[in-house]
């Protein structure tokens, strides 16, 4: 076949081709990245609060850690929600899973004397089961995941409250703190990292200290490490692994993906399991941090995660999006939430702002997708 | 012929969709190094037949054999593993994904091992560009979304992909419908080459000028049933055209034949 091509006048064709390649500029490529809008949004929000919150302490080391921690907790579930949305599905049961996972950790540890690591493993096992059921129901019935997981939003919340009342007579379980020390698995979800670095920085005068001589920021909360780690892994998976390609394909057109040999069902089940696991990671961190579990924890978190993912450039219809975008969406979320607190604006406005952000992001994404499909 | 084991054999295959009988009692053999053309009107069941062969549908009744082995594909992935690659009528392409990602969807080339195992996108980009160049499409940018390609270019990606991955059997469901003369002739040459390489090809087209030159046999479907398989030696181009369209196109035949011969000769002189 190529012999035929070689007989054509080759030189002008090659020159023509080179010229056309150069036209696909760096900027055009950047404009086609899903997270571009979120990056611009994050920079704008950052600039706004740097200007608006001057003197309030939002951008001191302690303030930065504060809003990063808010962003990190949301970012952990947003990463999983992003992969799932790119895979073409939603999980509305994330928030309820957070509540249930907290109960599943606290009750065995506090009431029945389980070691924390065992209680945490129990929570992960149950989460895996919930995700597996969600995925199978969506696969087998062909129902929209919106409906299936809406069912689980109520089922899991009800289970958390019911089980907690049945076993303890309460809906809150405290006293987890005393079980944390010495538990190698719980350590993954509690405390701070790089504390030595921060003490060293304080000792060298590079960071302010409090009255006791300790650095104002004693370390990086473990939630931030989880957030960055999960974002990095999810980005690697999406961009560099066959499984990542299968996620895009499953969400882009499940039928075409299946016909091309992509195991669409397995991809979707694993993604639902991942969102349930991410909810459990969220719950672990929260339970270790507060020392207690509460059945109403995680309320509306599934919607916040979806907002972060959409602000991050993912299409609600699936097949397009990025984990970095979701992280930026979570960052915007954290900055706005804490920024409104620091600047003293009535917090009612936070919801208004997030709603507007969501709409702007959806309009922008739709516009950009149309642009991308026109770009020839 | 009959002593040889067919590469693909269907025995009394039926496919029902609820109360719709899309295929009933189809038996067909395709040998290696042969091209089987499926003929039939719209709705005759051609696409259903090849989707059954490529693992999209499970047959309601009947058996299928590849190389003498009975097969039951759980999904198209199993058919691909068995060396059966298909260009579906709807192409099975994902508009938002790049050419390369579509080309290698479900069959990504990897490097490294363990947790560092990753897709070799550089290699994949190069192969996708090379394979597209072979079919006569200059891909400027393999990371360009397939949605930005024209219908014909999209069809070429699907064909190039199937040709690249089809080890034993190549199935093409109306692959030339959106193609210009040049690309269509490249596709026909692909089919001829696959045949020469010993693959079995199942080819669906409504264009007699595409079917006749490459086919070894024709199977005529009508309302889900088979009206029989005809060896090429036993039929004329006119008869094939009749089978395809019930004679509706016959008026234009002479003019079309003349045009075809002219372009045939033109191609030959170009190749020479
Ligand atoms: N998934 C399906 N569900 C129900 N009916 C179907 C399905 N696929 C095909 N059919 C029916 O089977 C018949 C044959 O269709 P098809 O194989 O696409 O025909 P062709 O490719 O020959 O034009 C049609 O009547 C079509 O409506
Ligand atoms: Mg068809």
């Amino acid at each position: 076949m190529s012999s035929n091509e070689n007989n054509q006048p080759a030189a002008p064709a090659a020159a023509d081709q080179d010229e056309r390649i150069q036209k696909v500029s760096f900027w055009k490529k950047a404009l086609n990245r899903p997270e571009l809008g979120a990056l611009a949004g994050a920079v704008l929000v950052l600039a706004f609060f740097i200007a608006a919150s001057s003197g309030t302490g939002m951008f001191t080391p302690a303030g930065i850690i504060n809003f990063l921690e808010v962003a990190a907790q949301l970012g952990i579930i947003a990463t999983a929600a992003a992969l799932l949305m790119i895979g073409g599905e939603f999980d509305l049961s994330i928030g309820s899973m957070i509540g249930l996972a907290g109960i599943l950790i606290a009750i065995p540890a506090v009431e029945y004397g389980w070691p924390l690591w065992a209680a945490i493993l129990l929570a992960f096992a149950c989460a895996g089961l919930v995700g597996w059921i969600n995925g199978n129901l969506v696969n087998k019935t062909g129902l929209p995941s919106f409906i299936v997981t809406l069912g689980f939003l109520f089922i899991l919340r009800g289970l958390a409250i019911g089980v907690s009342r049945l076993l303890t007579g309460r809906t809150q379980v405290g006293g987890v703190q005393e079980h944390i020390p010495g538990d190698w698995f719980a350590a993954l979800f509690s405390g701070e990292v790089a504390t030595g670095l921060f003490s060293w920085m304080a000792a060298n005068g590079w960071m302010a200290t409090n009255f006791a001589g300790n650095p104002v920021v004693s370390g990086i909360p473990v939630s931030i490490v989880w957030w960055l780690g999960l974002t990095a892994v999810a980005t690697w998976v999406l961009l560099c692994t066959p499984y990542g390609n299968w996620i895009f394909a499953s969400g882009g057109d499940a039928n075409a993906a299946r016909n091309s040999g992509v195991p669409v069902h397995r991809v979707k089940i694993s993604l639902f399991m991942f969102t349930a696991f991410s909810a459990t990671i969220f719950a672990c961190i929260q339970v270790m941090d507060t020392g207690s579990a509460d059945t109403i924890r995680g309320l509306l978190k599934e919607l916040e995660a979806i907002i972060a993912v959409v602000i991050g450039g993912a299409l609600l219809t699936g097949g397009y999006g990025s984990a970095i975008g979701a992280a930026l969406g979570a960052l915007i979320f954290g900055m706005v939430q804490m920024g409104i607190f620091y600047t003293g604006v009535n917090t009612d406005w936070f919801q208004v702002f997030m709603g507007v952000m969501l709409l702007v992001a959806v309009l922008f994404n739709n516009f950009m997708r149309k642009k991308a499909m026109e770009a020839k | 012929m009959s002593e040889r084991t067919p590469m693909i054999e269907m025995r009394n295959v039926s496919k029902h969709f609820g109360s719709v009988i899309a295929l009933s009692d189809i038996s067909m053999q395709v040998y290696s190094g042969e091209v089987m053309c499926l003929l039939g009107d719209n709705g005759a069941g051609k696409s259903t037949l090849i989707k059954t062969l490529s693992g999209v549908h499970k047959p309601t009744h009947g058996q299928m054999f590849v190389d003498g082995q009975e097969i039951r594909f759980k999904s198209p992935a199993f058919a691909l593993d068995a060396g059966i690659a298909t260009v579906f009528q709807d192409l099975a392409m994902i508009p938002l994904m790049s050419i390369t990602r579509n080309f290698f969807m479900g069959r990504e080339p990897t490097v490294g091992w363990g947790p560092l195992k990753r897709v070799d996108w550089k290699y994949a980009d190069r192969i996708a560009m090379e394979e597209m160049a072979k079919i006569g499409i200059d891909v400027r940018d393999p990371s360009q979304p397939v949605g930005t390609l024209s219908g014909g270019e999209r069809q070429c990606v699907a064909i190039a992909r199937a040709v690249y991955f089809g080890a034993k059997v190549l199935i093409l469901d109306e692959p030339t419908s959106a193609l210009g003369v040049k690309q269509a002739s490249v596709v026909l040459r692909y089919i001829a080459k696959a045949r020469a390489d010993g693959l079995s090809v199942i080819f669906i087209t409504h264009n007699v000028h595409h079917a006749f030159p490459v086919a070894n046999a024709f199977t005529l479907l009508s309302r889900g049933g088979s009206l029989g398989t005809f060896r090429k030696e036993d039929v004329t181009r006119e008869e094939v055209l009749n089978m395809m369209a019930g004679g509706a196109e016959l008026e234009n035949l002479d003019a079309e034949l003349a045009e075809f011969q002219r372009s045939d000769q033109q191609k030959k002189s170009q190749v020479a």
Side-chain angles (χ1 to χ4, degrees), chain A residues 113-131:
Chain A
W114 288 32
L116 255 184
W117 62 262
I120 293 171
L121 282 183
L122 171 73
F124 273 106
C126 291
L129 182 68
V130 167

Side-chain angles (χ1 to χ4, degrees), chain B residues 40-207:
Chain B
D41 221 345
N42 289 323
K46 306 181 297 294
S47 294
T48 307
L49 190 153
I50 62 101
K51 281 184 180 167
T52 310
L53 271 179
S54 52
V56 177
H57 300 316
K58 292 188 189 77
T60 314
H61 303 295
Q63 297 166 290
M64 300 190 298
F65 301 84
V66 174
D67 237 348
Q69 298 279 315
E70 179 163 11
I71 43 95
R72 275 169 198 283
F73 296 135
K74 283 201 210 120
S75 76
F78 290 81
L80 278 160
D81 290 341
I84 302 178
T86 307
V87 179
F88 294 97
Q89 196 164 8
D90 64 9
L91 302 182
M93 289 275 141
I94 302 198
L96 281 165
M97 275 166 49
S98 73
I99 294 172
T100 304
R101 276 180 178 264
N102 267 289
F103 195 100
F104 286 94
M105 172 176 28
R107 303 222 120 23
E108 295 79 3
T110 54
V111 287
W113 47 271
L116 286 181
K117 190 164 139 185
R118 61 200 179 273
V119 182
D120 191 347
W121 286 121
K122 247 192 193 147
Y123 171 80
D125 277 342
R126 190 165 57 77
I127 297 292
M129 293 211 10
E130 277 174 19
E131 295 300 313
M132 290 301 286
K134 280 188 201 166
I135 206 167
I137 307 270
D138 270 343
V139 175
R140 277 159 280 167
D141 174 12
S143 66
Q144 177 182 1
V146 157
T148 65
L149 299 176
S150 73
E153 287 171 319
R154 244 181 264 195
Q155 218 162 35
C156 287
V157 180
I159 294 164
R161 175 175 73 176
V163 167
Y164 185 74
F165 288 108
K168 282 186 183 171
V169 180
L170 189 57
I171 301 176
L172 305 122
D173 192 351
E174 304 195 23
T176 51
S177 59
L179 297 187
V181 176
K182 185 179 166 224
Q183 258 84 39
S185 68
V186 174
V187 172
L188 293 182
R189 255 181 266 145
Y190 269 17
I191 293 174
K193 182 172 181 299
R195 184 179 62 183
D197 291 348
L199 275 75
S200 291
V201 182
I202 299 175
F203 180 33
I204 300 175
T205 177
H206 287 293
N207 188 329

